[in-house]
Amino acid sequence: MKFLCQFTAVEDNRIVILNGAGRSGSNGYVFYKYLQVNHPEFNVSLIEPWPSSHLKWESWQKIGSARYVITTHQPFKVKKGQINLQFWHGVPLKRMGIMANNTRYRDNKRNEKLWHKNADIVASNSDLYESLMSACIAIEGKKYRKMGFPRLDALNNPVISKEELLKDLFDTEDSQAQIGIYMPTFRYELEDKSVMEKIKSGNFFAFNDFNGEELNAALKARHQYLIVKLHPYEMRMFENFDSHYSNIAFLNNDYLFDHNYDLYELLGDTDFLMTDFSSIYFDYLHLNKPIIFITNYLKQYEKVRGLLMGPYEEITPGICINSQEELLGNLDELDNRQIHNRRLYWLDLTNQVKGNNYCEQAFNAMTQNN
C-alpha cells in the first residue's frame, strides 16, 4: 500500500496528520482542530492510530496525495515533493535515542537516518529543546523552526468549565474545589515487576506506604480532587478502574475520545499537577500553577534509562516527595514565592516563543517552506 500510494498525484491544498499521540497533549490533534476551523481552504485528514499496519487504501491515498505530512513521532513521507512537519510529542526530560541507557546502536542509527531523510521542518520552542533533541536523535540544526507547539494553545482555553469538569469526573459541585491531575510517565520500562503489581492492585503512585482511603480523606478535608491519568498501558492492567473514592477519579481515553477532547483542553481547569519524569511539566509551566514531583523511582529511572538534565531537584521547580506520608504533609502548602520564581525561570529557559497563537505560527512555517 505504501509503495502504491507513491503514484498518487500530490494536491497542494491537502494536509494529512499522522497522529501517534492519542489525546494526551497531541500537537497533531490540536492542530487538526485548528485547521478545520481556521483554514477551510485546505483539505485536512487525521489518520490515527499511527503507525498502523491496518490502514485502509483510502488512508494511504490521502497520505500519498498530501503536500504536507505532519507527524507527532517518527518523521514520515512517501515522496520527495512532500513537506514533513515534525511536531514530536513533548520536551524530552528522559534520555532517548543515542543518549538512553536502554537502546540499541542499530536502532539509533536507523532512526537518525529517518530524521535526516524525512524531516523537513522540526517544530521547536527554545535553544534548550533543540540541544536536547539533537543530543538524542542527531537532528541537524537547520531543520528547526522556533514556532512553539500547537498543544500549548489549548492550555489557556479549556473547552469546558472547571465546574463542568468536576461534575463530569466526580459528580459533585464544590465552589472551593482545587483540582489536581496526576500524570506519571511510562513505568513499565523499569522492568520491575513489583512496580507493576502495585499499580495493578490499585496503588497508582506505587508508594510503599500507599493507603487509598487515607489519601481520599486527606483530599476531601481540603476540598481537593485528584484526577489520575495513567499511561494507557498501565490503565489497561488496572484492576480498580472505576474509582470508589469521592475525591479521586480515573481519566481514561474513552472520555477524551467520546467528547472529542484533548487532555490539554482540560488542563487549564486544574489547579496543580503531579508527575514524575514526564515532560508534561515543561508545558504546565505556562499555567504557572504548582507542580508536585514524585521521586520514589528516581534512582531506578536514572539507571535504566537516564535523564537528560540533573540533578533532578535542581531542574524540577516544585515540591519533591518520595512517599504518601510526604505527600500528605505538603497538601496544605503546594506553593511559595521561591517555587513560583523557579517556575518562571524554567519557563523562560524552555520557551522562547511568546504569544498564544502557536497553531498559526506552525501553519505559517509549514506553508511558507516551499
Side-chain angles (χ1 to χ4, degrees), residues 5 10-12 14-19 28 31 35 44-45 47 50 59-87 118-122 366:
C5 76
V10 170
E11 302 171 20
D12 287 336
R14 180 174 285 280
I15 301 171
V16 65
I17 298 173
L18 308 179
N19 182 35
F31 194 52
L35 290 172
V44 57
S45 300
I47 295 179
W50 178 266
S59 296
W60 281 113
Q61 283 183 305
K62 292 177 179 178
I63 294 173
S65 62
R67 173 65 67 191
Y68 306 99
V69 181
I70 298 170
T71 47
T72 62
H73 286 66
Q74 290 285 19
F76 182 88
K77 61 183 180 181
V78 294
K79 301 174 181 177
K80 289 184 178 180
Q82 293 180 316
I83 296 173
N84 172 254
L85 170 56
Q86 169 56 242
F87 280 142
N118 292 331
D120 297 298
I121 312 170
V122 180
M366 176 182 72

Side-chain angles (χ1 to χ4, degrees), residues 63-276:
I63 294 173
S65 62
R67 173 65 67 191
Y68 306 99
V69 181
I70 298 170
T71 47
T72 62
H73 286 66
Q74 290 285 19
F76 182 88
K77 61 183 180 181
V78 294
K79 301 174 181 177
K80 289 184 178 180
Q82 293 180 316
I83 296 173
N84 172 254
L85 170 56
Q86 169 56 242
F87 280 142
W88 202 236
H89 51 277
V91 179
L93 174 61
K94 296 177 296 183
R95 293 188 177 209
M96 59 183 182
I98 57 178
M99 289 292 290
N101 299 329
N102 58 349
T103 57
R104 297 187 300 179
Y105 176 82
R106 180 183 296 179
D107 295 336
N108 293 334
K109 298 307 292 183
R110 183 176 64 250
N111 288 335
E112 289 176 27
K113 289 180 179 179
L114 285 174
W115 281 82
H116 175 77
K117 178 183 177 182
N118 292 331
D120 297 298
I121 312 170
V122 180
S124 167
N125 67 343
S126 66
D127 293 335
L128 178 61
Y129 177 81
E130 295 170 17
S131 297
L132 296 175
M133 289 291 288
S134 289
C136 295
I137 318 178
I139 303 169
E140 299 101 317
K142 64 183 180 181
K143 292 182 180 291
Y144 291 108
R145 300 288 187 278
K146 286 186 176 67
M147 64 182 77
F149 304 112
R151 62 178 182 267
L152 298 177
D153 281 341
L155 286 179
N156 291 304
N157 299 286
V159 291
I160 59 175
S161 68
K162 182 176 179 179
E163 291 74 21
E164 290 173 311
L165 182 62
L166 197 66
K167 184 65 175 177
D168 275 0
L169 298 185
F170 298 94
D171 194 26
T172 191
E173 298 178 3
D174 187 344
S175 60
Q176 302 178 60
Q178 286 185 307
I179 301 178
I181 184 166
Y182 172 51
M183 291 189 62
T185 192
F186 184 43
R187 292 173 286 188
Y188 181 75
E189 66 181 333
L190 288 173
E191 298 181 350
D192 186 334
K193 291 183 179 179
S194 68
V195 176
M196 292 299 103
E197 287 302 318
K198 288 175 182 176
I199 297 170
K200 188 176 180 181
S201 69
N203 179 359
F204 46 83
F205 283 120
F207 284 149
N208 289 329
D209 62 344
F210 180 78
N211 184 314
E213 296 296 338
E214 181 184 28
L215 174 61
N216 187 73
L219 293 169
K220 186 174 183 179
R222 295 165 175 80
H223 294 270
Q224 293 173 333
Y225 298 82
L226 183 62
I227 300 170
V228 177
K229 178 67 173 70
L230 301 179
H231 187 278
Y233 177 87
E234 294 182 1
M235 189 62 82
R236 286 196 299 269
M237 62 179 287
F238 200 67
E239 289 181 346
N240 300 320
F241 182 78
D242 294 322
S243 173
H244 300 295
Y245 304 117
S246 61
N247 289 58
I248 302 172
F250 300 106
L251 178 61
N252 63 13
N253 286 331
D254 290 343
Y255 174 81
L256 298 171
F257 276 91
D258 290 347
H259 291 82
N260 294 318
Y261 298 157
D262 183 86
L263 177 65
Y264 273 47
E265 295 178 303
L266 305 176
L267 278 185
D269 289 328
T270 64
D271 297 284
F272 61 92
L273 167 71
M274 301 177 69
T275 188
D276 46 13

Side-chain angles (χ1 to χ4, degrees), residues 301-312:
Y301 246 108
E302 288 177 328
K303 180 179 179 180
V304 173
R305 180 163 177 175
L307 302 180
L308 286 168
M309 296 182 289
Y312 184 79

